[in-house]
């Protein structure tokens, strides 16, 4: 079988990249083992335009957010599945000083498109601790990552574009004008293998910095049903039906996918400082995100093998990063545009 691209990994990165390549008329085959590590399936999935302790705009926010919502909405129509939830994010203020700062910022052209309202008094005081008010953000929400990946897996399988198998590096043959793998010939191969990049013989020299993240799942009383995502120290995402998910932790050691009592305690402590409603913890999940040392994605071509590429390192903001950069990466591999220096792995060629 002859295809243009062989993609290894069908997590968020591999799925979004495959869709972009198909959309520009190229053929793909995806090799993925659903039983292997896949942080996308247990991710919080948030897309948030203003983040961090200092509440600043997400890196390249305007470009990313103008692109991601239409992209995912288009895929929902194509796959006949709902997985994108646009929901305001409410962040209570810590102080009057922070309230005053955001009253000013809300009028600035850089921030105004993402601010629904600045509350100078409690806006959601029946649910959260917000004695100083808070900021309500728009163009935000979350992707149901597990549902998205499952729907796209089914789509690929129905089109006979998916090989459900563990990738065998020993079976890969590099040729002058492409690669060959178990009867599949491709012009290029792209590794979208998440934290498994650490074991990838072509790209394990890249400075991946995996981060373990854990989530809690809650049941709450029906009258406490929330309409927004609460976010201060932890995020509390409404899932409907009296259920929420809470996250996330950031652990650089013990990078396994086993939930821990330490993380549960940490999340409950932060949750108790944010919400007022009663809840019951019903589940806990963990995953390892493919974050990078400089917090920028890994995109590019191997320094020696011209047919071997990588699209990885999307980290905790993969939902917002993947669509825009998959589009740029697909166009770049086809020679139609440039690849930004900030994401190009050439920045790390000295490590090879």
């Amino acid at each position: 079988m002859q295809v243009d691209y062989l993609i290894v990994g069908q997590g968020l990165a591999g799925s979004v990249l495959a869709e972009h390549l198909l959309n520009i008329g190229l053929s793909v085959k995806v090799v993925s083992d659903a039983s292997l590590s896949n942080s996308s399936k247990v991710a919080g999935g948030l897309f948030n335009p203003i983040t961090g302790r200092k509440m600043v705009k997400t890196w390249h926010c305007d470009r990313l957010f103008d692109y991601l919502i239409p992209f995912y909405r288009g895929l929902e129509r194509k796959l006949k599945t709902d997985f994108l939830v646009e929901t305001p994010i409410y962040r209570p203020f810590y102080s009057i000083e922070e309230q005053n700062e955001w009253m000013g910022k809300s009028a600035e052209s850089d921030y105004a498109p993402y601010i629904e309202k600045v509350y100078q008094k409690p806006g959601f005081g029946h649910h959260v601790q917000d004695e100083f008010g808070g900021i309500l953000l728009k163009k935000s929400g979350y992707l149901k990552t597990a549902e998205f990946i499952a729907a796209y897996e089914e789509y690929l399988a129905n089109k006979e574009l998916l090989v459900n198998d563990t990738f065998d590096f020993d079976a890969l043959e590099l040729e002058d004008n492409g690669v060959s793998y178990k009867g599949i010939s491709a012009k290029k191969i792209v590794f979208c293998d998440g934290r498994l990049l650490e074991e990838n013989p072509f790209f394990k020299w890249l400075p991946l910095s995996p981060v373990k993240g854990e989530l809690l799942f809650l049941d709450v009383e029906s009258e406490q049903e929330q309409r927004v995502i609460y976010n201060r120290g932890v995020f509390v995402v409404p899932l409907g039906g009296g259920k929420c998910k809470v996250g996330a932790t950031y652990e650089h050691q013990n990078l396994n996918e086993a939930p821990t009592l330490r993380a549960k305690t940490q999340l409950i402590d932060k949750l108790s400082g944010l919400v007022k409603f009663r809840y019951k913890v019903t589940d806990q999940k963990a995953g390892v995100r493919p974050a990078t040392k400089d917090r920028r994605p890994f995109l590019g071509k191997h320094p020696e093998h011209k047919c071997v590429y990588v699209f990885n390192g999307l980290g905790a903001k993969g939902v917002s990063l993947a669509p825009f950069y998959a589009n740029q990466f697909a166009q770049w591999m086809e020679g139609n545009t440039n690849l930004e220096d900030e994401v190009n792995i050439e920045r790390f060629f000295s490590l090879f």
Side-chain angles (χ1 to χ4, degrees), residues 43-347:
L46 263 63
F47 56 98
N48 183 355
I50 299 175
T51 61
R53 190 178 296 270
K54 296 183 178 180
M55 288 289 283
V56 297
K57 284 175 66 174
T58 296
W59 177 67
H60 290 335
C61 177
D62 298 332
R63 295 191 297 168
L64 299 180
F65 281 69
D66 284 347
Y67 191 83
L68 76 91
I69 293 175
F71 170 75
Y72 288 122
R73 287 296 184 215
L75 256 183
E76 283 184 320
R77 292 189 293 271
K78 176 176 178 175
L79 302 178
K80 297 180 173 58
T81 307
D82 295 330
F83 40 73
L84 186 72
V85 182
E86 293 183 75
T87 307
I89 294 177
Y90 181 66
R91 184 186 186 276
F93 293 135
Y94 285 102
S95 65
I96 289 292
E97 289 76 17
E98 188 178 28
Q99 179 196 109
N100 290 336
E101 177 187 357
W102 278 99
M103 286 299 295
K105 278 187 175 181
S106 65
E108 297 177 6
S109 59
D110 274 358
Y111 285 91
Y114 304 103
I115 299 175
E116 183 68 38
K117 184 177 180 179
V118 177
Y119 289 83
Q120 295 177 274
K121 59 183 180 179
F124 295 84
H126 54 300
H127 278 174
V128 295
Q129 307 284 350
D130 65 340
E131 61 182 302
F132 302 111
I135 183 171
L136 188 66
L137 303 174
K138 56 185 178 180
K139 294 190 177 181
S140 57
Y142 67 99
L143 184 74
K144 298 177 183 177
T145 53
E147 287 89 338
F148 164 66
I149 290 168
Y152 205 74
E153 178 183 16
E154 182 179 2
Y155 168 77
L156 291 173
N158 288 340
K159 297 287 186 179
E160 298 185 345
L161 303 179
L162 181 66
V163 177
N164 190 356
D165 194 13
T166 302
F167 188 81
D168 181 1
F169 285 95
D170 291 334
L172 179 66
E173 297 180 18
L174 303 183
E175 301 168 348
D176 291 340
N177 296 307
V179 300
S180 177
Y181 179 78
K182 294 186 176 181
I184 304 168
S185 295
K187 296 176 183 177
K188 297 171 183 176
I189 183 170
V190 186
F191 288 97
C192 305
D193 43 359
R195 63 87 49 98
L196 297 177
L197 189 77
E198 293 180 302
E199 304 165 14
N200 186 315
F202 296 105
F203 293 109
K204 61 184 178 182
W205 49 273
L206 286 171
L208 199 69
S209 182
V211 180
K212 181 177 180 178
E214 299 193 43
L215 300 173
L216 297 181
F217 293 81
L218 314 179
D219 278 352
V220 300
E221 295 178 4
S222 58
E223 61 266 25
Q224 302 290 351
E225 194 82 28
Q226 65 193 77
R227 296 177 290 107
V228 303
I229 296 170
Y230 301 126
N231 189 4
R232 191 181 75 182
V234 290
F235 58 74
V236 185
V237 177
L239 302 177
K243 299 183 182 300
C244 303
K245 65 179 172 182
V246 176
T249 58
Y250 294 83
E251 171 62 55
H252 294 274
Q253 307 296 324
N254 303 314
L255 298 177
N256 55 54
E257 297 185 345
T260 64
L261 178 60
R262 179 173 177 269
K264 181 178 181 180
T265 301
Q266 183 183 76
L267 289 172
I268 289 176
D269 285 347
K270 291 183 177 181
L271 184 64
S272 298
L274 174 60
V275 305
K276 295 179 178 179
F277 56 77
R278 290 178 294 176
Y279 59 85
K280 177 183 178 182
V281 177
T282 58
D283 198 6
Q284 181 176 356
K285 294 182 180 180
V288 181
R289 314 177 190 96
T292 67
K293 289 288 186 183
D294 64 355
R295 298 186 179 182
R296 299 291 181 260
F298 291 154
L299 280 64
K301 180 167 59 175
H302 191 275
E304 290 184 349
H305 305 298
K306 65 179 183 179
C307 300
V308 180
Y309 292 74
V310 64
F311 183 67
N312 205 324
L314 301 181
K317 296 181 179 178
V319 168
S320 54
L321 290 169
F324 180 87
Y325 281 106
N327 181 53
Q328 184 180 111
F329 189 54
Q331 295 291 342
W332 174 74
M333 289 191 295
E334 288 297 298
N336 298 327
T337 190
N338 295 322
L339 192 60
E340 294 172 18
D341 292 340
E342 286 181 286
V343 300
N344 195 325
I345 61 170
E346 288 184 3
R347 70 193 191 274

Side-chain angles (χ1 to χ4, degrees), residues 1-7 21-22 24-29 177-179 184-190 307 309 333-334:
M1 171 183 241
Q2 176 71 49
V3 295
D4 295 308
Y5 286 88
L6 181 63
I7 296 174
L21 291 169
L22 291 170
I24 58 176
L26 298 166
S27 55
V28 304
K29 198 80 167 182
N177 296 307
V179 300
I184 304 168
S185 295
K187 296 176 183 177
K188 297 171 183 176
I189 183 170
V190 186
C307 300
Y309 292 74
M333 289 191 295
E334 288 297 298

